[in-house]
Amino acid sequence: MSSVEAGAKVSESPKLASVPQHQNAIMPRVHVPLGTLVIAMSVMCYLASLAIGGMLLINRAVDKWTSDISGEITVQIRPVVDADITKQTDIAARLLEQTQGITGVTVLSEDEAARLLEPWLGKNRILEELPIPRLIAARIDRRSPPDLAQLSARLKADVKGASLDTHRQWQEELTATAQTLRWLGAAVLLIIAGASVALVVFATRAALETSREVLEVLYLVGARDRFIARQVERRFFIAGFKAGVTGLFGALLTFGLFLLLGSTGNARGLLSAMRELLAGPFDKSYADYLLFPVIPVVATLICLMTARVATMRILRSIF
Amino acid sequence: MSSVEAGAKVSESPKLASVPQHQNAIMPRVHVPLGTLVIAMSVMCYLASLAIGGMLLINRAVDKWTSDISGEITVQIRPVVDADITKQTDIAARLLEQTQGITGVTVLSEDEAARLLEPWLGKNRILEELPIPRLIAARIDRRSPPDLAQLSARLKADVKGASLDTHRQWQEELTATAQTLRWLGAAVLLIIAGASVALVVFATRAALETSREVLEVLYLVGARDRFIARQVERRFFIAGFKAGVTGLFGALLTFGLFLLLGSTGNARGLLSAMRELLAGPFDKSYADYLLFPVIPVVATLICLMTARVATMRILRSIF
Amino acid sequence: MIRFENVGLRYGNGPEVLRDINLELEPGSFQFLTGPSGAGKTSLLRLLFLASKPTRGLIRLFNQDVATLQRDELPDIRRRIGVVFQEFRLLDHLTTFENVALPLRVANQRSSAYRSDVMELLKWVGLAEHANVYPPVLSGGEKQRAAIARAVVGKPDLLLADEPTGNVDPALAVRLMRLFLELNRFGTTVLVATHDTHLISQVKAPVMKLDRGLLTEAA
Amino acid sequence: MIRFENVGLRYGNGPEVLRDINLELEPGSFQFLTGPSGAGKTSLLRLLFLASKPTRGLIRLFNQDVATLQRDELPDIRRRIGVVFQEFRLLDHLTTFENVALPLRVANQRSSAYRSDVMELLKWVGLAEHANVYPPVLSGGEKQRAAIARAVVGKPDLLLADEPTGNVDPALAVRLMRLFLELNRFGTTVLVATHDTHLISQVKAPVMKLDRGLLTEAA
Ligand SMILES: Nc1ncnc2c1ncn2[C@@H]1O[C@H](COP(=O)(O)OP(=O)(O)OP(=O)(O)O)[C@@H](O)[C@H]1O
Ligand SMILES: Nc1ncnc2c1ncn2[C@@H]1O[C@H](COP(=O)(O)OP(=O)(O)OP(=O)(O)O)[C@@H](O)[C@H]1O
Ligand SMILES: [Mg+2]
Ligand SMILES: [Mg+2]
């Protein structure tokens, strides 16, 4: 026979009059059911981690591309009918070497030039057999960069078929897109923080409502608001920390998954780009990665502070 | 003086012995605090909507690109020193016209050819002044496509500098990436569904634990499991529906936001691509959009069925 | 109706709360159960309303061995039993009316069918004016009366009342006892656990005395 | 100590539950309060432990007008008052020991400081063996004794007991009353609301009678 046996389940053999060792929490566990909150907050932290991860990726990508690009200018000499392209290339190289603020000049071979174009053109067969223009790459001394407008004018004047590519257009496009995405990321983070606060307020209210009888008794035996708030806070503190760690861990797993997916042969484009960025050298952006451990901290703080403020306000309004 | 007045707050003037009109729910509202669940499930539905939205976008993108591409082949005639490119182009065009399975042949002007290459090359100044190969676009009758290998061989033999581009490489890359992303989307949906079930199980357990005393009384006055489960289910049904609608609505708002962002001048690349796809004609993929209203339905069903099963199991295990 | 043979009950690993209980209640009998606090009165009643099972011995209820009852047979049996709990066990989120009508509602009866019966019963126990308020605003005695009304509303075959007059004045106690006697006259078997010697002295009915888990018939 | 002047109380828009109550309790006095169920005994006590405020009239408690008390002054006053609630109000998730020690814990006393005192008190009310169990497994009378122990553990200046013996046998009731008298001897003002005429007859103390909200001194 199975039957209602609530009493029997909690039963304990009447122990000898021993001195109790452990104190139960003043707020009952069942009345502050934070399981759902922990899951919901975990999802929030997960999303926050993804958003931060995404923003870091974007930053790295922009950094990589712009530093690759803006530290360098390219001069191209297109084949012109009445001029020897090799000679024109030499002239241009010499001109660059003499220019203030340019540190290294490399004339690229035809093969090298083709390879350099590849990322933008793909191995597009359409272009495979086109006459390739000659390229000269020149490093810029970033501390005293040359006057690029003047340089461009001089090149145009002195060298047939030459033009200066400062990659500025690419750079602008990239920066603009990155900026939009950064704003988006910030907005997402804000929304997540707001939703988290709402979640905690909800959970606090629910907890206080369900434990109303407990609260009444506590007040009647002389408890102060601060005492009660401390009991409630404690539970939310733990919940927030758990959620933060879970969410972050989940996000790291996801990044790991991307790495794995990115490394298999049939993943292309976006995925492998991501992989490259994720797995790339840590270099100077160490500090950025410190944002991740901040997530559990922030989650815990949000839980703690929101629960504290909400509890004090609700207590004052109910009792 | 503000004081503990719980009793006074619920007080009602003793009404005359009137016949009560409205029945209170058997499961107390405070003991089944679904606020947190609704928020958490809303987030789940939101994510599910985004995932589905993303998958639809990918499908549309792939559809668009592959139908653009695979319905067409391109023949390029690169400039060769000892042959007149215009004449070669004419020969190739005539050859194509005579081929079985090719429905339309268009010789592109130099400008047109350059514009066609633009999406892949960008307005890259490096290539602006290169001699552009001539292009011939030919539509394929998809019901009886020509033998492309044979066609390619004949073109190579008959026309100097000609080559056939079936875009197959692009297509493969695209399809592979899309497939990966689709798998990812399906995985995300699965994870979301799993998390939702977990959430509901948690919430059900919490609800039943907090209302344990109520359940005991119900059993002791002769309630059956099914009766109690029905009372619990009802609450989750409503919660699921609310969450589904909220999440979906939130997702639609987000898509709307993207549209808006995508339409401003300074958004580029990804964003404007998305915008184009979102705002594009609805055409045949009407059916896909029906996936969205399915979200609240699925959310409601998950809540309902999970709560039902969980309640029956928990009841059996507790009592 | 009810038969206990060598029934023993212990909670968990504790000592036996009930020991070697042998008793028999005839259908339609009226019986008091008394004994000091902690003697095991409530525990004995819990066995009868199937809230716990004996650790040893045999209990027959309505001519069925309770040990052989299946989980899904319990509701039907419980609907034949009315219980006044010592701590009332009213549901705070239901009105007095709804609390009293709960056994009928749970048995899927339509509220239009029982409304007037319930109101009449509420009048009898002096709660007519409190029909639409919630238990937290009832006085102790009013709660107790609501609990009693809920126990008798289904005209049960067996009525178990655990300290049903601990919170009402002597005059009201007698009035409530009359309700039990009335039910008893129409065939309900009644078992009342109480400390109230005054009350026992007013009703001519056999008294069982429990002391530290052992039963001694008639004081 | 306590003075009521023309105190009236109504809940919401209901009728007055207490009407024109005038009373004065000297420090160190021992007083019974009786009256039929629903007369307003608990309501009167609620005014005293600051759980409701009067709708009219003046209440002075510890020489302070309760109407002028600020929210943050309440805890200190409540710590001087011990209350035995009619429905016990034990916290189910704390052990008997913790429930009894709750007023001390809430006042931030260290458990090592009060441990032995609490255990001794538990012994006195016969709950020593139940110190580590939770209220749901206590019998009705045991719960009541735990509630009494919690009310007296802080040696309050004022003890309010609402039907403190409704669930215990007469012998135990007398023993518990002795506890109250003992406290009273050391200066605690005691007010006991009860229906138990037997109990009242055993203690020589003034009795106030409430009937439908009106107070009649001495029965
Ligand atoms: N669920 C339980 N688990 C463990 N012990 C229990 C449980 N229920 C009751 N007890 C213990 O069993 C003993 C008998 O309890 P019971 O409630 O039957 O006494 P009672 O005769 O009803 O007393 P009272 O008159 O005080 O209500 C008590 O000592 C009590 O602490
Ligand atoms: N919070 C409240 N809101 C509305 N009415 C209430 C509230 N508390 C008590 N009452 C009503 O006030 C009246 C007096 O209640 P009170 O609890 O003071 O009676 P009592 O004398 O303690 O009765 P008993 O002996 O039954 O415990 C009752 O009719 C009760 O229904
Ligand atoms: Mg009992
Ligand atoms: Mg009362």
Side-chain angles (χ1 to χ4, degrees):
Chain A
M1 186 181 84
S2 63
S3 61
V4 178
E5 268 184 296
K9 285 269 166 84
V10 255
S11 79
E12 263 181 48
S13 62
K15 281 171 200 142
L16 281 180
S18 62
V19 181
Q21 303 300 329
H22 145 91
Q23 280 201 322
N24 280 300
I26 293 241
M27 292 301 290
R29 210 151 288 256
V30 279
H31 286 176
V32 191
L34 298 183
T36 322
L37 181 72
V38 170
I39 300 187
M41 281 293 291
S42 298
V43 173
M44 293 296 164
C45 291
Y46 177 75
L47 294 179
S49 305
L50 287 193
I52 288 181
M55 284 165 79
L56 287 188
L57 269 186
I58 292 164
N59 282 348
R60 293 201 80 180
V62 170
D63 261 19
K64 187 163 184 276
W65 288 332
T66 54
S67 77
D68 276 7
I69 288 170
S70 69
E72 220 176 69
I73 52 175
T74 313
V75 176
Q76 63 164 317
I77 296 100
R78 70 183 158 87
V80 182
V81 183
D82 57 345
D84 176 16
I85 191 162
T86 313
K87 206 173 150 202
Q88 297 296 325
T89 307
D90 283 351
I91 301 174
R94 228 171 304 124
L95 196 150
L96 284 171
E97 269 159 11
Q98 286 157 10
T99 306
Q100 201 73 349
I102 285 184
T103 53
V105 177
T106 322
V107 179
L108 300 183
S109 71
E110 241 173 83
D111 273 9
E112 281 172 331
R115 216 173 307 125
L116 206 78
L117 286 171
E118 220 168 73
W120 313 121
L121 308 184
K123 297 205 175 198
N124 202 322
R125 272 187 281 154
I126 300 179
L127 298 158
E128 227 161 52
E129 287 136 17
L130 291 178
I132 290 286
R134 300 297 304 266
L135 295 177
I136 307 172
R139 305 229 126 256
I140 286 177
D141 180 357
R142 291 197 207 199
R143 269 153 312 183
S144 63
D147 179 345
L148 292 176
Q150 194 196 320
L151 180 63
S152 174
R154 275 186 60 196
L155 275 169
K156 279 225 172 85
D158 295 2
V159 187
K160 288 215 175 79
S163 66
L164 180 68
D165 185 1
T166 54
H167 310 274
R168 202 170 281 154
Q169 194 194 347
W170 281 105
Q171 224 169 309
E172 271 166 18
E173 287 230 359
L174 260 174
T175 316
T177 304
Q179 201 50 43
T180 316
L181 289 174
R182 271 201 212 99
W183 277 113
L184 216 75
V188 166
L189 284 181
L190 257 177
I191 289 171
I192 289 172
S196 300
V197 168
L199 272 174
V200 175
V201 170
F202 253 76
T204 310
R205 187 172 295 276
L208 294 181
E209 300 254 302
T210 25
S211 44
R212 189 180 190 122
E213 282 168 38
V214 174
L215 295 177
E216 266 177 47
V217 172
L218 290 178
Y219 275 119
L220 289 175
V221 299
R224 290 184 208 284
D225 288 344
R226 276 304 298 132
F227 178 85
I228 293 176
R230 250 190 340 261
Q231 312 298 325
V232 177
E233 267 165 48
R234 197 171 298 174
R235 309 291 310 282
F236 280 88
F237 180 85
I238 297 168
F241 185 72
K242 271 191 204 165
V245 171
T246 313
L248 175 56
F249 190 72
L252 294 182
L253 266 184
T254 308
F255 288 134
L257 196 78
F258 270 117
L259 275 183
L260 237 81
L261 275 179
S263 69
T264 62
N266 60 349
R268 327 237 169 139
L270 211 63
L271 282 183
S272 55
M274 244 174 107
R275 176 176 186 275
E276 204 167 283
L277 287 166
L278 278 167
F282 275 70
D283 56 44
K284 65 183 157 50
S285 51
Y286 266 136
D288 288 353
Y289 290 86
L290 288 180
L291 276 175
F292 285 117
V294 164
I295 288 172
V297 175
V298 170
T300 311
L301 282 181
I302 283 183
C303 274
L304 179 67
M305 297 313 296
T306 309
R308 172 177 301 176
V309 174
T311 302
M312 291 300 275
R313 296 183 120 231
I314 295 169
L315 288 180
R316 254 171 252 261
S317 78
I318 299 187
F319 295 108
Chain B
M1 184 183 85
S2 64
S3 61
V4 177
E5 267 184 297
K9 285 265 168 85
V10 253
S11 80
E12 264 181 46
S13 61
K15 281 170 202 145
L16 283 179
S18 62
V19 180
Q21 301 301 330
H22 144 92
Q23 281 202 322
N24 281 300
I26 292 238
M27 291 302 289
R29 210 151 289 256
V30 280
H31 286 176
V32 192
L34 299 183
T36 322
L37 180 72
V38 170
I39 300 187
M41 282 293 291
S42 299
V43 173
M44 293 296 164
C45 292
Y46 177 75
L47 294 179
S49 305
L50 287 192
I52 288 181
M55 283 165 78
L56 287 187
L57 269 187
I58 292 164
N59 281 349
R60 293 201 79 180
V62 170
D63 262 19
K64 188 164 184 275
W65 290 332
T66 54
S67 78
D68 276 7
I69 288 172
S70 71
E72 222 176 67
I73 52 174
T74 313
V75 177
Q76 64 165 316
I77 296 100
R78 72 182 156 86
V80 183
V81 182
D82 58 344
D84 176 16
I85 191 161
T86 313
K87 206 173 152 199
Q88 298 298 324
T89 307
D90 283 349
I91 301 175
R94 226 172 305 127
L95 197 149
L96 283 171
E97 269 159 15
Q98 286 156 10
T99 307
Q100 201 73 348
I102 285 183
T103 53
V105 177
T106 320
V107 179
L108 300 184
S109 70
E110 241 174 81
D111 274 8
E112 281 171 329
R115 216 173 307 125
L116 206 77
L117 287 171
E118 220 168 72
W120 313 122
L121 308 184
K123 297 205 176 200
N124 202 323
R125 273 186 282 154
I126 301 181
L127 298 158
E128 225 159 56
E129 287 135 17
L130 291 177
I132 291 286
R134 300 298 303 267
L135 295 177
I136 307 172
R139 305 229 126 255
I140 284 177
D141 181 358
R142 291 195 207 200
R143 272 153 310 185
S144 62
D147 180 345
L148 292 176
Q150 194 197 320
L151 182 62
S152 174
R154 274 186 59 195
L155 276 168
K156 279 227 174 85
D158 293 3
V159 187
K160 289 215 174 77
S163 67
L164 180 68
D165 186 1
T166 56
H167 310 272
R168 203 170 280 155
Q169 192 192 348
W170 282 106
Q171 226 170 308
E172 271 167 19
E173 287 231 358
L174 259 174
T175 316
T177 304
Q179 202 49 45
T180 316
L181 288 174
R182 270 199 214 101
W183 277 114
L184 217 73
V188 166
L189 283 181
L190 257 178
I191 289 172
I192 288 172
S196 300
V197 168
L199 272 174
V200 175
V201 169
F202 254 76
T204 310
R205 187 173 294 277
L208 294 181
E209 300 254 302
T210 25
S211 43
R212 190 181 190 121
E213 282 168 37
V214 173
L215 295 177
E216 265 177 47
V217 171
L218 290 177
Y219 275 119
L220 289 176
V221 299
R224 288 184 210 284
D225 288 345
R226 276 305 299 134
F227 178 85
I228 293 175
R230 251 194 335 265
Q231 312 297 326
V232 177
E233 265 165 49
R234 196 170 298 174
R235 309 291 310 281
F236 280 88
F237 180 85
I238 296 168
F241 185 72
K242 271 191 204 166
V245 171
T246 312
L248 176 57
F249 191 71
L252 294 182
L253 266 183
T254 308
F255 288 134
L257 196 79
F258 270 117
L259 275 183
L260 237 79
L261 275 179
S263 67
T264 61
N266 61 349
R268 327 236 170 141
L270 210 63
L271 283 183
S272 56
M274 244 174 107
R275 178 177 184 276
E276 205 167 283
L277 286 167
L278 278 167
F282 275 70
D283 56 42
K284 63 180 160 47
S285 51
Y286 265 137
D288 288 353
Y289 290 86
L290 288 179
L291 275 174
F292 285 117
V294 164
I295 288 172
V297 175
V298 170
T300 312
L301 281 181
I302 284 183
C303 273
L304 179 67
M305 297 313 296
T306 309
R308 173 176 301 175
V309 174
T311 303
M312 291 301 274
R313 296 183 119 230
I314 295 169
L315 288 180
R316 253 172 253 261
S317 78
I318 299 187
F319 297 108
Chain C
M1 191 71 176
I2 298 174
R3 230 177 87 190
F4 277 48
E5 279 178 26
N6 289 316
V7 169
L9 172 68
R10 67 170 83 237
Y11 293 107
N13 300 317
E16 277 205 317
V17 169
L18 294 175
R19 287 180 283 165
D20 294 310
I21 304 284
N22 286 290
L23 70 85
E24 185 148 5
L25 254 71
E26 298 299 327
S29 59
F30 192 113
Q31 181 87 37
F32 281 113
L33 176 66
T34 186
S37 174
K41 300 180 295 298
T42 303
S43 300
L44 198 153
L45 295 186
R46 279 171 62 86
L47 291 175
L48 284 174
F49 59 74
L50 310 173
S52 25
K53 39 186 173 179
T55 31
R56 60 189 176 85
L58 178 88
I59 298 179
R60 290 187 71 83
L61 185 63
F62 300 129
N63 295 318
Q64 276 184 287
D65 181 353
V66 298
T68 65
L69 285 174
Q70 295 301 306
R71 185 184 155 81
D72 53 357
E73 293 177 275
L74 295 181
D76 285 322
I77 294 194
R78 288 199 176 119
R79 288 175 193 183
R80 299 176 62 186
I81 306 174
V83 190
V84 184
F85 300 98
Q86 193 170 8
E87 63 275 29
F88 317 146
R89 298 211 182 191
L90 300 173
L91 301 184
D92 284 352
H93 63 288
L94 300 182
T95 62
T96 308
F97 177 92
E98 287 171 333
N99 264 291
V100 170
L102 192 63
L104 309 176
R105 185 168 171 191
V106 152
N108 289 315
Q109 290 191 30
R110 307 199 44 239
S111 70
S112 54
Y114 56 69
R115 209 171 270 177
S116 58
D117 283 3
V118 171
M119 284 310 297
E120 201 183 320
L121 181 57
L122 283 175
K123 248 172 239 155
W124 216 97
V125 298
L127 289 179
E129 288 183 357
H130 300 282
N132 291 327
V133 303
Y134 294 84
V137 309
L138 293 179
S139 84
E142 286 160 357
K143 277 182 213 162
Q144 192 150 43
R145 286 176 269 160
I148 289 172
R150 184 180 62 189
V152 303
V153 75
K155 299 195 183 61
D157 295 332
L158 173 61
L159 178 68
L160 305 170
D162 198 356
E163 204 71 62
T165 58
N167 283 276
V168 296
D169 47 293
L172 192 54
V174 171
R175 185 179 161 87
L176 293 171
M177 210 41 65
R178 282 230 311 278
L179 181 62
F180 292 173
L181 287 167
E182 191 79 359
L183 269 178
N184 181 242
R185 273 210 309 157
F186 285 101
T188 300
T189 310
V190 180
L191 178 57
V192 180
T194 185
H195 296 115
D196 193 339
T197 45
H198 178 74
L199 191 74
I200 295 176
S201 70
Q202 295 214 323
V203 181
K204 267 187 66 168
V207 178
M208 293 185 296
K209 210 163 149 40
L210 255 186
D211 200 356
R212 269 161 284 163
L214 282 170
L215 201 64
T216 51
E217 207 87 7
Chain D
M1 189 72 176
I2 297 174
R3 232 177 86 190
F4 277 49
E5 279 177 26
N6 289 314
V7 169
L9 172 69
R10 69 169 81 238
Y11 291 108
N13 300 316
E16 277 205 316
V17 169
L18 293 175
R19 287 180 283 167
D20 294 313
I21 305 284
N22 286 290
L23 71 84
E24 185 147 5
L25 254 71
E26 297 299 327
S29 59
F30 192 112
Q31 181 86 39
F32 279 113
L33 177 66
T34 186
S37 174
K41 300 180 294 299
T42 302
S43 300
L44 198 153
L45 295 186
R46 280 171 62 86
L47 291 176
L48 284 174
F49 58 74
L50 309 173
S52 23
K53 39 187 173 180
T55 30
R56 61 190 174 86
L58 178 86
I59 299 179
R60 289 187 71 81
L61 186 63
F62 301 128
N63 294 319
Q64 276 185 287
D65 181 353
V66 297
T68 66
L69 285 175
Q70 295 301 307
R71 185 182 155 80
D72 54 357
E73 293 177 278
L74 296 181
D76 285 322
I77 294 194
R78 287 199 175 121
R79 287 176 194 184
R80 299 176 62 186
I81 307 174
V83 189
V84 184
F85 300 97
Q86 192 169 8
E87 63 276 29
F88 317 146
R89 298 211 182 192
L90 300 173
L91 301 185
D92 284 353
H93 63 289
L94 300 182
T95 63
T96 308
F97 177 92
E98 287 172 333
N99 265 290
V100 170
L102 192 64
L104 310 175
R105 184 168 171 191
V106 153
N108 289 316
Q109 291 190 31
R110 305 198 46 237
S111 70
S112 55
Y114 56 70
R115 208 169 270 177
S116 59
D117 283 2
V118 171
M119 283 310 297
E120 202 183 320
L121 181 56
L122 283 175
K123 248 172 238 157
W124 216 97
V125 298
L127 289 178
E129 287 183 357
H130 299 282
N132 290 327
V133 303
Y134 294 84
V137 309
L138 292 180
S139 83
E142 286 161 355
K143 278 183 214 161
Q144 192 150 43
R145 286 177 268 159
I148 289 172
R150 184 180 62 189
V152 304
V153 74
K155 299 195 183 61
D157 295 331
L158 173 62
L159 178 68
L160 305 170
D162 198 356
E163 203 70 65
T165 58
N167 284 275
V168 297
D169 47 292
L172 192 53
V174 171
R175 184 179 162 88
L176 292 172
M177 211 40 65
R178 282 232 311 278
L179 181 61
F180 291 173
L181 287 167
E182 191 78 359
L183 269 179
N184 181 242
R185 273 210 310 158
F186 285 102
T188 300
T189 310
V190 180
L191 178 56
V192 180
T194 185
H195 295 115
D196 193 338
T197 45
H198 178 74
L199 192 74
I200 295 177
S201 70
Q202 295 214 323
V203 180
K204 267 186 67 168
V207 178
M208 294 184 296
K209 209 163 150 42
L210 256 184
D211 200 354
R212 269 161 284 163
L214 281 169
L215 202 63
T216 52
E217 208 88 7

